[in-house]
Amino acid sequence: MQLMLYVLDLHLWRGFENICCLETLLGKQTRSKVALSNVPLKPGRSLMDWIRLTKSGKDLTGLKGRLIEVTEDELSKHNKKEDCWICIRGLPFLCSQMTCEKNIITENHSSPHMWTGFVYNVTPYMEYHPGGEDELMKAAGTDGTDLFDQVHRWVNYESMLKECLVGRMAVKPIAAPKVLAEISSTVSEDKKQLNGVLPEKKVLASSSKDLSPSYDWFQTDSLIKIVIYTKQKDMNAELVIVDCQDKQLRGEIIMDDHSYLVEVDLDHAVSEDVAVNIAEKVGKVEIILNKKDNIHWKMLGQPREGHNTFIKRTDRGLFFRKCKLVSKTEVTHDTKLFCLMLPKGTHLCVPTGQHVYLKQIIAGTEVVKPYTPVLPFLPLDFQEPPRHDSVHMYLMIKIYSHGLFTQALDYLQIGDYISVSNPEGNFKKSQVQTSEDLLLLAGGTGFTPMVKLLNFALTEVSCLRTVKLIFFNKTEDDILWRSQLEQLALKDERFEVQFILSQPSKDWVGKQGKISSCLLSEFVKRSRRDSKVLICICGPAPFTEQGVQYLKDLGYSQEEIHAFTA
């Protein structure tokens, strides 16, 4: 209650954070590309102003509270800035006069259309959109799902735009007898029990069914063992995410851009402790649960939605679990290191170069923001690879004076909880393992993905000749972990760090300036003419956007550049 009262008082603030989680609902062209710059908002058009408007009782749809069924023809008419409707999740079902839901097929005579996605009147949101009106207009009068998913599929648009809801999309059914026959066949097949569990239909193309993962389960008097056969070599702990809370088990296996999910309501209670064993060479994953009562289970449990499916990760919703804040440590005058403790029944190791999302309810609206986990400190002994800390997660967070999200984060007390998502990101360690030179460009807290990357590169990649960090900040006081970085440079001859300040004091003797072609040409160089190089860049959107363009102008290819964006 105290936190809510505090947050409601945030109406005194204006503007967004420099890297706001809601910077755009439909703005960036693709996650792997560089983020677009935010468009300056007019006074009175901040996130808090938008939240206040949605709670004012004003009719934001123009329909006086009515919800309607929107046809494709009707949607296409609303394609102007002063009259803009957008559909999300509006793809047609491949059914003919039938409803297919949870393997139950029933006749549907009530409507000639199949209702699918949600339609929103985003006209009133135009001036509040940090990505600019033009970005929203790219989806005006159409289905904006692809743009939305490429940018921030994790944003809860239902919460952000709930007062703009026009209704649901109605799409004319597409006759597909063959598909219906396959669904009917799948339903029949799914009646076969696997140790008491009714598997849901696999979401897979027929050509890849033989390669899809599968699972089985076994028991002793005291244990339940779920075995997942991934049929993929080089499986490791970072690719396995397990959550077991309140008799609900969720195990997700990450396989490139797909994931396999086992999700059931367990038949009986188990203890909080969960063990995960991985046979890396054969791709077998074991999830071991301890029975609370030594009784024989007749079945593992009841399948939940999404159970036993193998689909693209972008098609699977993010899963959040509540983590406890156990410490906050000051790093600089405006940046703190947050230590979160994962729940006892959670197995989660965030891969190098990937981020998670934190979720908070601010003034009744769900707000989500990405952060890249770091290490608690920079290890200086690289004799052995570090062991995974499966209990704690460390986040280095800059507290913005006008930032809704980070101010609410900073107000959290030790022992409070915050929702943390599964990891996401498209960075692959193999990009480093095939390089000879690793060059890291960081602006401010864009340093965070570089922490684990530095540790991995210097610990496990023997082919690297040089590892260089070019770290841009405003002042000396803004430099994160300066002392540790300088010690690391003395400890490992392969590593070099260069600090560049845009607002240095008169006593500063180092380099100064902002990111530019001139500065990059001085510091970004191959150790040899033909050496394989990887350049990673992260920072505020303008920094990243300009940096990538400068690098290309200097002759580096897209394949040699990785921009961290969320």
Side-chain angles (χ1 to χ4, degrees), residues 92-98 111-114 170-176:
F93 289 134
L94 290 176
C95 293
S96 177
Q97 303 291 336
M98 306 186 80
S111 172
H113 298 90
M114 296 299 296
V171 181
K172 292 182 180 179
I174 302 172

Side-chain angles (χ1 to χ4, degrees), residues 375-519:
L375 301 172
F377 51 83
L378 279 177
L380 299 178
D381 184 0
F382 297 108
Q383 298 303 312
E384 295 183 6
R387 294 181 179 179
H388 291 290
D389 181 353
S390 58
V391 177
H392 298 101
M393 181 182 297
Y394 295 88
L395 299 169
M396 195 178 287
I397 298 175
K398 182 174 181 178
I399 310 300
Y400 293 91
S401 59
H402 296 289
L404 285 175
F405 198 88
T406 59
Q407 287 286 341
L409 269 182
D410 195 33
Y411 187 75
L412 291 175
Q413 303 299 304
I414 303 303
D416 287 345
Y417 287 83
I418 187 166
S419 296
V420 180
S421 80
N422 286 354
E424 286 222 333
N426 55 14
F427 181 81
K428 293 186 178 359
K429 287 182 178 179
S430 59
Q431 296 171 258
V432 182
Q433 291 167 326
T434 56
S435 300
E436 295 167 292
D437 299 325
L438 177 62
L439 305 174
L440 310 175
L441 309 181
T445 49
F447 168 67
T448 54
M450 311 307 179
V451 174
K452 282 190 174 182
L453 187 49
L454 268 175
N455 188 60
F456 169 70
L458 295 174
T459 303
E460 301 184 48
V461 187
S462 58
C463 62
L464 280 170
R465 281 195 291 265
T466 61
V467 179
K468 181 183 291 187
L469 171 65
I470 305 166
F471 199 178
F472 292 82
N473 287 279
K474 288 183 179 179
T475 70
E476 285 186 77
D477 292 338
D478 296 322
I479 301 175
L480 303 168
W481 282 358
R482 178 180 179 179
S483 176
Q484 293 189 47
L485 289 168
E486 290 173 336
Q487 290 180 56
L488 182 58
L490 293 173
K491 187 83 173 179
D492 195 311
E493 61 182 12
R494 293 173 298 167
F495 177 64
E496 176 186 347
V497 61
Q498 181 69 53
F499 302 114
I500 302 177
L501 303 182
S502 61
Q503 299 175 15
S505 67
K506 61 181 181 180
D507 298 324
W508 176 250
V509 295
K511 283 288 180 180
Q512 56 184 289
K514 295 184 177 181
I515 191 166
S516 65
S517 181
C518 181
L519 274 174

